[in-house]
Amino acid sequence: MESIKGRFAPSPTGRMHLGNAFCALLAWLSARSQGGSLLLRMEDLDPQRSRESYARLLMEDLRWLGLDWDEGAGVSGEQEELYWQSRRKEEYEKALAMLKQQELLYPCFCTRAELHAAEAPHASDGQVIYSGRCRGLTPQERQAKEKHRRPAIRIAVPEEVISFTDGCRGVYAENLARDCGDFILRRSDGVFAYQLAVTWDDGVMGVSQVVRGSDLLSSTPRQIWLQRLWGFPQPQYYHVPLLLAPDGRRLSKRDGDLDLGALRSRIGPEELIGKLAFWAGILPKEEAVAPRELTSLFGWEKVRKQDILLDGSMLDF
Ligand SMILES: [Zn+2]
């Protein structure tokens, strides 16, 4: 049997928060409990939002938690830059060229206002389902528009249902054309889209297990379809519950009091791991524990399926 390769793939756009730590613990446990390895890839494609200083803090926070990794950012010597998406643009050009050869790409000149016109339908993740209005432009029309606006690159999706079994959430299916629509692979500012970079990287890096927040569940059919076009095997997916703030919002980098910078001054790593493992359903009661002590207790059947609302008492530490 081939060994499992899991991954951490954070965006260094702020300090790691409690929800990121929760997801990282489950990714680590899932791989390590099966004798697998992990890699760390920095998803720092967006130059406006990513900072190398945040990336360094992310690595330090993972180490503080006791969550180690075997290859990637911070450990792979001269190879290290292969694991920073901002340094992989040539790779993504290649990925895009393969799809261009299959005649699936077209330029889209729509402005944000045009995309968000009142009648535009929305997918389950709140994204606009693209109407396909630039798909049928003639070469002359494209040329004329290019004088005024640099286009985004979209991929034309088929009327096809992509279905997969998520290890945490069960069967999930989407009709690409109806539920998602033609999606962007490169933005008009030249930045490669998340869907392209994450799918290509998981494929070429041999990732066989993807553990991430359930907010990304609806991205997965698109990614599976891209994998098939590029000829990559399909990893096993586990979309884990989100941690919700007491008012029901999902935790974000704006919740500064729940980021690792603040938490590390109030609580030790094993206490924090114990809380996360208890919330996840892995520990029957809250107690301080190191991640490696949890590997024999871990099983996906124990992990909660629903998002976890953090009430005030849970955050009283
Ligand atoms: Zn368009």
Side-chain angles (χ1 to χ4, degrees), residues 83-133:
Y83 297 89
W84 295 71
Q85 288 191 329
S86 61
R87 302 170 203 178
R88 295 176 57 71
K89 288 174 189 153
E90 281 176 29
E91 278 277 315
Y92 305 141
E93 293 289 356
K94 203 166 75 186
L96 201 62
M98 285 174 71
L99 300 172
K100 193 175 179 190
Q101 263 183 351
Q102 300 181 50
E103 297 185 348
L104 292 167
L105 306 183
Y106 64 91
C108 167
F109 299 91
C110 296
T111 62
R112 185 175 292 264
E114 284 167 331
L115 293 174
H116 288 266
E119 72 277 17
H122 287 72
S124 56
D125 60 1
Q127 297 281 328
V128 172
I129 299 175
Y130 183 63
S131 66
R133 66 191 293 224

Side-chain angles (χ1 to χ4, degrees), residues 38-57:
L38 287 122
L39 63 81
L40 172 63
R41 182 175 70 231
M42 286 296 169
E43 305 213 324
D44 59 342
L45 275 176
D46 192 336
Q48 303 295 326
R49 299 174 60 227
S50 305
R51 299 275 179 279
E52 182 152 349
S53 56
Y54 287 136
R56 300 287 159 206
L57 284 169

Side-chain angles (χ1 to χ4, degrees), residues 173-226:
E174 259 185 23
N175 178 315
L176 290 177
R178 212 181 48 215
D179 302 326
C180 154
D182 297 349
F183 55 98
I184 289 182
L185 294 181
R186 200 176 66 200
R187 301 187 331 205
S188 59
D189 62 3
V191 174
F192 287 98
Y194 166 75
Q195 307 293 355
L196 176 138
V198 76
T199 310
W200 181 260
D201 284 350
D202 282 338
V204 295
M205 294 176 185
V207 169
S208 61
Q209 183 175 86
V210 174
V211 178
R212 59 188 180 189
S214 62
D215 51 324
L216 289 166
L217 184 65
S218 66
S219 284
T220 310
R222 273 169 276 182
Q223 295 176 12
I224 289 173
W225 180 62
L226 287 174

